[in-house]
Amino acid sequence: MPNADQSPVTYASYLRLDALLDQQAPASDSHDEMLFILIHQASELWLKLCLHELRAARVSIASNQLRSAFKMLSRVAGVQKQLIHSWDVLGTMTPADYLSFRDLLGTSSGFQSQQYRLIEFLLGNKSVAHVERFRDHADAYRNLQQALVEPSIYDEALRALQRHGLDIPSSYISRDFSQPYEPSREVEIAWSKVYRNTERYWELYELAEKLVDLEDRFQLWRYAHLRTVERIIGRKTGTGGTPGVPYLAKVIEQRFFPELFSVRTAL
């Protein structure tokens, strides 16, 4: 039976709203600083859900539970829509609005988001340099070191291809996962067989398309980020010392699942 002394669960208590809504602490009198804080805090919450789903999807793929992975990957794609639209809201802030509190940000930058880096590592964009940037933050450094050496979702997808009898080079099945992924002609050929024989490899075909959706949304998020930054600060250097727009433009060129795009030309 419930403890008579225990307070009833309410909407506010279950969601811990008192604590959650007490986390916004503008450092200036600028009206738009609240928008800036909330957009970034909400984004980190959505990223937390993305990590939760992507990690579970990786486990499902590794254990041949592909249909379970599809649901999780679709959910991440839905979250990505929310993240993309958040830039539209932030874009209502003008350069003058941002300049009214920008100096108070110091060297803080989204470039320092641990969760964003963990998601990139999960998707296969590994970088020892990005880990080292967190050396002074013990928990984040440990988390990123662990993620660096773990297989990405794409690594597990390639293992799934091999389990289904497709020819994936052994060097791609057992490799140093801390190193960036390098495209492979053999892997492209394997995906080509999936796309040419969709009835035989239906689940692998659906997995491929879920991954393409994931990358497409991620690239749209990156592009929306670039356009919002350019709209608000132009070509200024970012607060974290990054080149700003030129850096973001270069990042957009990165691919997580290269053969899933090159195979379209091959077909």
Side-chain angles (χ1 to χ4, degrees), residues 34-53:
M34 180 63 78
L35 166 67
F36 187 83
I37 291 171
L38 281 167
I39 287 291
H40 287 85
Q41 287 184 339
S43 293
E44 287 293 333
L45 289 174
W46 283 123
L47 292 179
K48 184 173 184 177
L49 180 57
C50 286
L51 280 170
H52 176 71
E53 299 296 340

Side-chain angles (χ1 to χ4, degrees), residues 24 28 45 71 92 101 128 137 140 170 179 191 208 214 259 262:
Q24 296 73 47
S28 74
L45 289 174
K71 178 180 179 180
T92 64
F101 65 88
V128 174
H137 305 276
S170 59
Q179 297 303 306
W191 282 121
L214 188 64
E259 293 89 356
S262 64

Side-chain angles (χ1 to χ4, degrees), residues 108-265:
S108 65
S109 167
F111 192 71
Q112 300 159 351
S113 170
Q114 175 198 171
Q115 292 195 122
Y116 174 80
R117 292 302 170 198
L118 287 171
I119 288 174
E120 283 215 324
F121 283 14
L122 259 171
L123 297 181
N125 187 23
K126 304 289 186 73
S127 168
V128 174
H130 286 321
V131 177
E132 288 304 309
R133 290 189 176 93
F134 290 84
R135 181 174 283 277
D136 294 333
H137 305 276
D139 289 343
Y141 186 69
R142 181 176 60 254
N143 293 339
L144 285 162
Q145 277 189 313
Q146 179 180 338
L148 184 71
V149 299
E150 293 174 342
S152 70
I153 278 187
Y154 196 52
D155 290 319
E156 292 297 354
L158 298 188
R159 289 174 170 179
L161 289 178
Q162 187 189 59
R163 288 194 296 270
H164 281 76
L166 292 159
D167 188 16
I168 302 296
S170 59
S171 59
Y172 278 74
I173 299 301
S174 299
R175 67 183 188 88
D176 180 356
F177 296 117
S178 69
Q179 297 303 306
Y181 180 84
E182 294 292 337
S184 161
R185 174 61 178 159
E186 290 87 348
V187 170
E188 182 187 278
I189 290 172
W191 282 121
S192 178
K193 290 179 180 179
V194 170
Y195 276 88
R196 292 181 188 278
N197 299 276
T198 57
E199 290 188 8
R200 178 178 178 182
Y201 299 113
W202 183 260
E203 287 195 343
L204 293 176
Y205 170 61
E206 191 167 353
L207 174 61
E209 287 300 290
K210 294 295 185 187
L211 293 176
V212 169
D213 287 344
L214 188 64
E215 176 150 339
D216 269 354
R217 297 274 171 75
F218 204 95
Q219 296 291 27
L220 287 171
W221 182 88
R222 283 171 162 173
Y223 181 72
H225 184 192
L226 182 154
R227 296 298 299 168
T228 303
V229 169
E230 188 170 36
R231 174 172 178 160
I232 295 174
I233 69 168
R235 297 267 167 169
K236 291 186 181 72
T237 300
T239 50
T242 67
V245 167
Y247 169 78
L248 295 174
K250 184 177 180 180
V251 166
I252 289 175
E253 299 173 2
Q254 296 172 348
R255 286 284 190 194
F256 296 121
F257 319 127
E259 293 89 356
L260 290 181
F261 290 88
S262 64
V263 73
R264 282 154 163 75
T265 302

